[in-house]
Amino acid sequence: MNNPFEDLEYLAEFLPEEGESVIVSRRRGRLVCESYAEPASTTQPTGIINREFYGRLVSINAKLQQFWALPFVIAVTAFFVASFLLQELIGLGWADWGVFLALGTILVTLPVFYVHWRQRQFFRTAVCPTLQQLMNDHQIDKYSLIAYLSTQRQLRGIYQALTRWT
């Protein structure tokens, strides 16, 4: 049997790097050091950390977000044109601000409904089959994917679409 100082010198030779673990046990009167690989503790579900899968999620999210650009540009332009025509042709002025407010409300809400309708159509026809295939390939269920997406601020669009339309 070794004295305690020899045991400490032996252990010092096997000190692990940061983040590694060592199991020290005594076998037949001798100290034995063995490296121990801890299971990776991740908060993300299995398969989500795959770069290809994450890249596809980002791409789908970008496609869902691009539906907003054109309808709002058209709505704002239509509001200005309609306001100008109301002032010039009908003769409405600043005193008739309620008409302009109603017109603006209509011209802002119509694109919202249109964009949600287009997003839903796109989600059902293109995104759902792709997501289903990706989830099958990576062995992830829908609720694990939703839980992961809820933690990713940049993927908020696809998270909202998944929770709204599935």
Side-chain angles (χ1 to χ4, degrees), residues 11-54:
L11 288 174
E13 293 174 12
F14 288 96
L15 284 176
E17 296 293 324
E18 188 173 334
E20 296 178 356
S21 301
V22 172
I23 295 177
V24 179
S25 59
R26 188 172 294 275
R27 292 187 192 147
R28 296 183 201 142
R30 296 197 57 132
L31 287 178
V32 177
C33 292
E34 299 172 335
S35 64
Y36 173 73
E38 295 179 3
S41 60
T42 61
T43 58
Q44 300 172 344
T46 313
I48 294 287
I49 51 177
N50 184 340
R51 288 182 182 184
E52 181 259 341
F53 187 39
Y54 183 77

Side-chain angles (χ1 to χ4, degrees), residues 51-72:
R51 288 182 182 184
E52 181 259 341
F53 187 39
Y54 183 77
R56 288 185 186 256
L57 289 175
V58 169
S59 174
I60 291 169
N61 187 60
K63 288 176 184 175
L64 284 172
Q65 295 301 322
Q66 76 184 8
F67 285 108
W68 288 98
L70 187 61
F72 274 107

Side-chain angles (χ1 to χ4, degrees), residues 13-14 21 24 49 65 79 82 87 97 99 120 144 155 163:
E13 293 174 12
F14 288 96
S21 301
V24 179
I49 51 177
Q65 295 301 322
F79 176 71
Q87 282 185 335
W97 62 269
V99 173
R120 184 176 182 174
S144 297
L155 297 175
T163 55

Side-chain angles (χ1 to χ4, degrees), residues 137-151:
D137 291 347
H138 296 282
Q139 299 174 348
I140 299 171
D141 64 311
K142 179 176 83 169
Y143 298 106
S144 297
L145 181 61
I146 289 173
Y148 173 73
L149 290 173
S150 70
T151 63

Side-chain angles (χ1 to χ4, degrees), residues 71-108:
F72 274 107
V73 169
I74 291 171
V76 169
T77 305
F79 176 71
F80 283 120
V81 168
S83 297
F84 178 77
L85 290 176
L86 284 175
Q87 282 185 335
E88 292 298 320
L89 297 178
I90 299 177
L92 295 179
W94 289 109
D96 302 316
W97 62 269
V99 173
F100 296 107
L101 182 63
L103 177 68
T105 304
I106 291 170
L107 289 177
V108 168

